[in-house]
Amino acid sequence: MEIKELGHLVLYVRDIGRSVAFYRDVLGWRQVFPEATDAAGNPLRLPAAAFSSGRTHHELLLIEVGENATAVPAGRRLGMYHFGLKVGDTDDDLREALARLQAAGVTLVGASDHTVTHSLYILDPDGNEIELYIDVPGVDWKSDPALIAAPIRPLRL
């Protein structure tokens, strides 16, 4: 077996409406479900939502589990640390993303220059960490894979 690509990510969320507003309205991700309808043309009413950049049928699926769900624990723990979303190709694209985040009142929890990427880190409404990044133009990590492990530096936009 060989993995060809990461297909999609599924997150449990407390409130589907709040999370949809964040991923669709703040991050600008195209919602592809529940825009769908059943065979009779009735809107599907599931506590879930899916998003796609157009690369595949969905890259993110959110499933509502309710306000009483246990929060993601802080600090070192097993499980997901963060997931990355590419937001463009240049630092100008990353600056635009930062301005949009600031206008929406989203707190920045980190900003890093990873040599191969320039990255901003934020939390979604349920505390899942998201890396918003651009691949740094001209960095040839395929010819020099050690660049992937380069020391992390503060990001200067």
Side-chain angles (χ1 to χ4, degrees), residues 121-139:
Y121 295 88
I122 60 172
L123 301 178
D124 79 359
D126 293 293
N128 296 300
E129 188 166 321
I130 304 166
E131 176 184 4
L132 303 173
Y133 73 92
I134 59 105
D135 290 320
V136 176
V139 175

Side-chain angles (χ1 to χ4, degrees), residues 75-134:
R76 295 178 62 87
R77 64 189 184 283
L78 297 178
M80 186 178 72
Y81 170 26
H82 69 262
F83 61 95
L85 301 173
K86 185 174 179 180
V87 297
D89 298 308
T90 68
D91 281 342
D92 285 340
D93 294 326
L94 203 55
R95 284 184 202 95
E96 288 177 25
L98 179 58
R100 184 173 183 150
L101 295 169
Q102 290 170 331
V106 175
T107 302
L108 193 66
V109 295
S112 299
D113 177 343
H114 295 282
T115 301
V116 297
T117 65
H118 288 168
S119 306
L120 303 173
Y121 295 88
I122 60 172
L123 301 178
D124 79 359
D126 293 293
N128 296 300
E129 188 166 321
I130 304 166
E131 176 184 4
L132 303 173
Y133 73 92
I134 59 105

Side-chain angles (χ1 to χ4, degrees), residues 3-4 15 17-18 25 34 36 49 53 73 82 85 88 104 106 132 135 140 151 153 155:
I3 303 300
K4 304 297 183 184
D15 180 297
R18 179 179 63 207
D25 302 339
S53 67
H82 69 262
L85 301 173
V106 175
L132 303 173
D135 290 320
D140 186 6
R153 299 181 308 267
L155 180 64

Side-chain angles (χ1 to χ4, degrees), residues 26-111:
V26 176
L27 297 187
W29 212 341
R30 184 171 58 95
Q31 184 179 355
V32 294
F33 171 85
E35 301 297 325
T37 58
D38 64 17
N42 301 311
L44 296 173
R45 302 266 183 221
L46 299 174
F51 301 83
S52 176
S53 67
R55 181 188 59 80
T56 188
H57 41 80
H58 74 285
E59 287 126 337
L60 176 66
L61 176 66
L62 305 176
I63 301 172
E64 183 178 82
V65 293
E67 290 295 335
N68 294 327
T70 303
V72 175
R76 295 178 62 87
R77 64 189 184 283
L78 297 178
M80 186 178 72
Y81 170 26
H82 69 262
F83 61 95
L85 301 173
K86 185 174 179 180
V87 297
D89 298 308
T90 68
D91 281 342
D92 285 340
D93 294 326
L94 203 55
R95 284 184 202 95
E96 288 177 25
L98 179 58
R100 184 173 183 150
L101 295 169
Q102 290 170 331
V106 175
T107 302
L108 193 66
V109 295

Side-chain angles (χ1 to χ4, degrees), residues 138-153:
V139 175
D140 186 6
W141 60 267
K142 288 181 182 177
S143 295
D144 187 1
L147 291 173
I148 297 169
I152 301 169
R153 299 181 308 267

